[in-house]
Amino acid sequence: MNKKELVSAIASQTDSTQAAAGEFLNAFCEVVVAEMKNGDGSTVAIPGFGQFVAKHRASREMRNPATGKMMMSKAKTSAQFKASAALKDL
């Protein structure tokens, strides 16, 4: 399912227009991204669906596969999704 199909499904489930459903989906994505940018430990939990968690990854030593030299990777924060039990048991 792509974004266009998701917007269409939301519109039919809520008896709204596709424009309104598209605005809702865009707003939802913006809120989740804004919360994830707050840093490590930020979560957006949706009961029955799952939670989006900001996870910090420390810098570490790694090998460059092209040259074989050791180098340090950058520390970063990335988003992780943890599915709820209801979603796991499909």
Side-chain angles (χ1 to χ4, degrees):
M1 178 179 276
N2 60 27
K3 183 178 179 180
K4 185 177 181 180
E5 294 168 341
L6 181 59
V7 166
S8 179
I10 291 171
S12 66
Q13 287 281 327
T14 60
D15 293 327
S16 63
T17 64
Q18 287 194 2
E23 289 177 15
F24 168 77
L25 184 59
N26 288 336
F28 173 77
C29 292
E30 289 173 8
V31 168
V32 170
V33 168
E35 182 62 27
M36 293 296 102
K37 286 185 178 181
N38 284 341
D40 189 31
S42 299
T43 62
V44 176
I46 304 169
F49 183 69
Q51 60 181 320
F52 297 92
V53 180
K55 195 82 167 175
H56 179 72
R57 295 185 183 185
S59 64
R60 61 183 177 89
E61 192 173 37
M62 57 185 275
R63 186 175 307 277
N64 182 337
T67 64
K69 293 183 180 178
M70 296 303 286
M71 56 187 271
M72 292 298 290
S73 69
K74 295 179 181 177
K76 62 181 179 178
T77 301
S78 61
Q80 178 182 12
F81 179 74
K82 294 181 181 179
S84 70
L87 191 60
K88 288 179 184 178
D89 296 335
L90 292 178

